[in-house]
């Protein structure tokens, strides 16, 4: 994948950490732990936004012919003979 994916995921992680830091300071521990779980589920790598971003970048690169290294014409790969 391109250099774009690591930059996007790093930026996302910085934002997630900032939100969690503020929440940890503002919420009692008993409320912070469930909140943290929700944030990580929604924005993390398992099934959250980070995984969606990975999929979007992969689909974009595949659609632009970068995955196979072969040109794509009208949505179909053009064979090289």
């Amino acid at each position: 994948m391109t250099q774009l994916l690591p930059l996007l995921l790093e930026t996302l992680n910085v934002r997630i950490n900032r939100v969690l830091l503020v929440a940890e300071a503002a919420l009692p521990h008993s409320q912070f732990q469930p909140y943290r779980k929700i944030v990580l589920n929604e924005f993390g790598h398992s099934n959250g936004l980070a995984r969606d971003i990975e999929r979007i970048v992969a689909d974009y690169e595949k659609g632009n012919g970068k995955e196979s290294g072969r040109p794509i014409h009208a949505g179909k790969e053009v064979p090289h003979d």
Side-chain angles (χ1 to χ4, degrees):
M1 294 201 185
T2 66
Q3 299 298 332
L4 179 61
L5 182 59
L7 291 173
L8 290 171
L9 294 178
E10 181 180 341
T11 302
L12 178 62
N13 285 334
V14 167
R15 301 293 176 121
I16 291 170
N17 288 334
R18 190 175 305 149
V19 166
L20 291 176
L21 184 64
V22 171
E24 186 174 27
L27 296 172
H29 184 70
S30 62
Q31 291 178 348
F32 172 69
Q33 290 302 321
Y35 178 80
R36 179 181 183 275
K37 184 175 182 177
I38 291 169
V39 168
L40 293 177
N41 283 342
E42 290 298 316
F43 298 102
H45 293 278
S46 296
N47 289 315
L49 182 59
R51 188 168 190 179
D52 293 341
I53 290 171
E54 291 171 350
R55 190 174 16 248
I56 289 166
V57 170
D59 289 348
Y60 174 79
E61 289 180 349
K62 184 178 179 183
N64 285 317
K66 292 184 180 179
E67 185 170 284
S68 66
R70 295 170 26 178
I72 295 179
H73 179 69
K76 297 182 179 178
E77 290 190 27
V78 178
H80 290 165
D81 295 321

